[in-house]
Amino acid sequence: GIQVEQSPPDLILQEGANSTLRCNFSDSVNNLQWFHQNPWGQLINLFYIPSGTKQNGRLSATTVATERYSLLYISSSQTTDSGVYFCAVEGGSEKLVFGKGTKLTVNP
Amino acid sequence: DSGVTQTPKHLITATGQRVTLRCSPRSGDLSVYWYQQSLDQGLQFLIHYYNGEERAKGNILERFSAQQFPDLHSELNLSSLELGDSALYFCASSVGPRGALNIQYFGAGTRLSVL
């Protein structure tokens, strides 16, 4: 089945810094979503982005489908950005396959 | 609020017992997915129902079963519970099973502790 790798596994930032999270996937995808799992465990949708670029406030994402990777950019990070960021992809199997996530810690 | 409702939020039970987790999808969504999140396995897909019918199975144990009812809510039944079943169980829903229809929204999860 499709494989998803996220990097880095851990990231520690000072408030105000920018960061880039990467997601590589092994096959073509119909669906790619980025999620933020907050410290209370809730999974929050950030982007649906199987290709192209989207922006939502301080967050933006780019997926280059032909090269099988997606990037999530966080600018001017805040402590509330802390948590785990997951990339999940759907190949031909109609299920989302999740990467292991990037754990982000933003210190004040 | 994602619009997906899961109950209960927490469940503490003993080995060998049986529990039922409930999920109400977002209004208008026909697909319901169940996932298990444990520390060592990450987020694992268990099972997918679409409009009342089982659509796909993932790494779901034989001790686990699920169904989707005519009103589209779903239940996940876990029986003969073992310590290793302790995990966070998520339900997600989407309009349909594939591509742009399959933007999944997650409930808050049920945290199961088996003692």
Side-chain angles (χ1 to χ4, degrees):
Chain A
I2 197 164
Q3 305 293 315
V4 183
E5 289 186 6
Q6 291 186 242
S7 60
D10 293 279
L11 191 55
I12 301 174
L13 301 173
Q14 288 300 121
E15 209 166 20
N18 302 329
S19 60
T20 301
L21 283 58
R22 187 176 178 103
C23 171
N24 293 334
F25 44 95
S26 62
D27 207 343
S28 58
V29 297
N30 301 318
N31 179 347
L32 188 150
Q33 291 185 248
W34 283 97
F35 295 90
H36 174 215
Q37 187 168 35
N38 64 25
W40 295 271
Q42 185 148 16
L43 278 163
I44 299 162
N45 290 60
L46 297 177
F47 295 101
Y48 164 76
I49 187 165
S51 64
T53 297
K54 289 186 178 179
Q55 179 153 8
N56 184 4
R58 297 182 295 104
L59 272 59
S60 64
T62 294
T63 298
V64 183
T66 52
E67 297 188 21
R68 297 183 184 166
Y69 72 88
S70 183
L71 302 174
L72 178 69
Y73 305 97
I74 305 173
S75 64
S76 304
S77 57
Q78 300 175 358
T79 56
T80 52
D81 295 330
S82 295
V84 183
Y85 290 80
F86 289 102
C87 168
V89 305
E90 174 207 320
S93 65
E94 299 182 357
K95 66 178 185 182
L96 285 182
V97 176
F98 282 76
K100 294 187 185 301
T102 292
K103 183 178 180 182
L104 175 65
T105 302
V106 181
N107 292 321
Chain B
D1 184 3
S2 67
V4 179
T5 304
Q6 285 189 250
T7 56
K9 286 187 168 46
H10 302 277
L11 204 45
I12 301 174
T13 188
T15 54
Q17 295 298 306
R18 172 189 168 94
V19 297
T20 298
L21 282 53
R22 183 187 168 100
C23 170
S24 293
R26 295 187 321 152
S27 177
D29 284 0
L30 300 179
S31 272
V32 169
Y33 299 80
W34 287 97
Y35 294 86
Q36 180 192 56
Q37 186 178 31
S38 55
L39 283 175
D40 56 345
Q41 293 290 325
L43 266 154
Q44 298 286 313
F45 165 73
L46 294 178
I47 198 163
H48 170 207
Y49 279 84
Y50 176 69
N51 203 19
E53 294 193 4
E54 182 184 302
R55 187 89 175 185
K57 269 186 175 179
N59 299 321
I60 188 166
L61 300 171
E62 285 192 13
R63 300 183 285 108
F64 295 1
S65 64
Q67 53 185 326
Q68 186 180 27
F69 295 87
D71 67 353
L72 301 176
H73 91 272
S74 179
E75 292 180 356
L76 178 67
N77 300 297
L78 315 177
S79 61
S80 303
L81 285 167
E82 302 175 359
L83 296 177
D85 298 326
S86 296
L88 192 50
Y89 291 84
F90 285 106
C91 166
S93 75
S94 65
V95 173
R98 192 175 299 160
L101 295 178
N102 192 18
I103 300 174
Q104 294 186 25
Y105 294 87
F106 281 71
T110 293
R111 188 171 297 277
L112 174 66
S113 298
V114 182
L115 305 178

